[in-house]
Amino acid sequence: MNQPVAVFTDTDDLDPAPGVRLLEEAGFEVRVAGTRDPDAIAGIAADAVALIVGYARIDAALLDRLPGLRILATMSAGYDMVDTTEARRRGLWVANLPDAATEDVAVHALASTLSLVRRLPQADAVVRSGGWNADFAGQRHLPRRASELTLGLVGLGRIARSFAALAAPVFGRVAAYDPHAAPAHWPAGIARYDDLGALAAASDVVSLHVPLTRATRGLVDGELLGRLRPGGFLVNVARGELVDPEALLTALETGRLAGAALDVFPVEPPQADDPLRTHPRIQLSPHSAFLSDTSRRAYVCGPAENVLAWHRTGRPLTPVVDPTVAPAPVVDPTATAPVVVPTAPAAPEGAAA
């Protein structure tokens, strides 16, 4: 009897070996493509039943070349690299990792926020350049007192709720906007806003925690940034394409924003001359909010466990596309009240995770 074949596409800085062992011990033949190139993936995965996906774009053209595929398992909570509409149309399961790095991303968001508020990169730069306190205190923006600030969360899923719990003792107020969250399940201590613009207007720091869909692409534009309190901050540990980069740069130059912290970018990695990469008041990290010694293993073992559960029971542990049921409507997160939008999440134009 032929072994079922599972293929890891791109693993980047992750070591797939623990996940490979889990699958091989269960009787799978496992291959590691080590690339996002669709031609290479199509060649190595032509007979695969399972594809474990990092950042590689999985679209209709690639799926056409994988006739035996039955399940796609992402190595992330996000799954915007997969054309879910095409996956569902072809009867494929799609599974993600909703909780593999919740704590890590929440802590990274908090660390990034506090670094912005306390202007730690600028303080570091002053000392390294030979300056001292007077040079730092003479800059346009001073550190802010966190207890006097409002932290606004766009989206209130697992990561945002964890971030809110960490931030609540530090910030004066935590507020959030999420049309998906039912009032009955809204966490105590977090002010609820039913309008995204109103949340921005009430916030000193806005942190993004929503998936990338057609409705959320470019969600943070010039209009929304213009609603922020002057001298505010933006934190993005979600998806780069949520933010209009030109609008962000304009807000920084006009002083509407005092700073931003980006772990994600519209194109990854950004080009050397990308102004997002070179702006002195943008704090950068290399899409590493998820990364820790613990999560590194979870990100390869979790997808393998999804594949194994599907193989044994016919259903992965954490499906986001179940081909056996009709799709739920998508809610436009920009609407004042929930508005049903008859679209499905779109695959990204650039790499993201």
Side-chain angles (χ1 to χ4, degrees), residues 220-222 225 228 232-236 240 243-262 264-266 275-276 279 281-282 284:
V220 179
D221 56 13
L225 290 171
L228 268 170
F233 304 93
L234 177 71
V235 176
N236 189 7
V243 180
D244 177 345
E246 294 302 322
L248 172 58
L249 292 166
T250 298
L252 287 165
E253 291 307 314
T254 61
R256 172 61 65 173
L257 282 183
L262 305 180
V264 288
F265 304 85
L276 294 178
H279 197 284
R281 286 188 284 118
I282 299 181
L284 308 175

Side-chain angles (χ1 to χ4, degrees), residues 9-296:
T9 59
D10 51 319
T11 56
D12 284 14
D13 56 336
L14 300 175
D15 177 7
V20 170
R21 283 194 296 272
L22 282 176
L23 290 162
E24 288 181 340
E25 288 169 359
F28 276 78
E29 178 186 340
V30 184
R31 305 166 190 159
V32 179
T35 180
R36 302 179 195 178
D37 178 72
D39 292 331
I41 294 170
I44 199 169
D47 57 345
V49 297
L51 206 61
I52 295 176
V53 183
Y55 303 135
R57 182 172 181 174
I58 312 300
D59 56 14
L62 180 55
L63 292 174
D64 282 341
R65 303 166 73 180
L66 305 174
L69 195 64
R70 295 295 176 267
I71 181 171
L72 294 141
T74 69
M75 292 186 280
S76 61
Y79 49 93
D80 47 275
M81 67 291 293
V82 176
D83 186 332
T84 53
T85 300
E86 278 298 317
R88 179 180 295 280
R89 189 176 71 80
R90 295 160 191 261
L92 306 182
W93 289 90
V94 181
N96 72 337
L97 292 182
D99 204 28
T102 295
E103 177 183 346
D104 304 293
V105 180
V107 169
H108 190 100
L110 177 64
S112 297
T113 301
L114 293 178
S115 182
L116 285 173
V117 168
R118 297 302 304 165
R119 293 182 55 77
L120 297 186
Q122 290 80 11
D124 178 86
V126 164
V127 178
R128 292 181 186 276
S129 66
W132 200 238
N133 187 280
D135 303 286
F136 182 50
Q139 294 183 352
R140 178 182 181 184
H141 297 284
L142 290 176
R144 305 285 299 278
R145 180 172 289 181
S147 64
E148 297 178 353
L149 304 181
T150 293
L151 170 65
L153 306 174
V154 180
L156 200 58
R158 287 181 177 88
I159 291 169
R161 290 174 189 236
S162 180
F163 180 21
L166 294 169
V170 180
F171 285 85
R173 184 168 177 261
V174 178
Y177 166 80
D178 190 334
H180 296 274
H185 300 112
W186 195 266
I190 301 177
R192 181 186 179 105
Y193 280 78
D194 293 324
D195 178 78
L196 181 57
L199 175 75
S203 299
D204 300 285
V205 182
V206 168
S207 186
L208 306 180
H209 302 279
V210 293
L212 178 64
T213 69
R214 290 189 180 96
T216 62
R217 187 181 298 274
L219 180 68
V220 179
D221 56 13
E223 181 180 357
L224 186 67
L225 290 171
R227 298 288 299 275
L228 268 170
R229 290 176 177 174
F233 304 93
L234 177 71
V235 176
N236 189 7
V237 294
R239 285 293 186 268
E241 296 96 324
L242 298 175
V243 180
D244 177 345
E246 294 302 322
L248 172 58
L249 292 166
T250 298
L252 287 165
E253 291 307 314
T254 61
R256 172 61 65 173
L257 282 183
L262 305 180
D263 185 59
V264 288
F265 304 85
V267 176
E268 297 184 350
Q271 297 296 315
D273 61 350
D274 187 329
L276 294 178
R277 192 171 191 167
T278 58
H279 197 284
R281 286 188 284 118
I282 299 181
Q283 181 177 291
L284 308 175
S285 53
H287 206 145
S288 59
F290 73 94
L291 189 60
S292 70
D293 51 355
T294 301
S295 69
R296 190 169 196 158

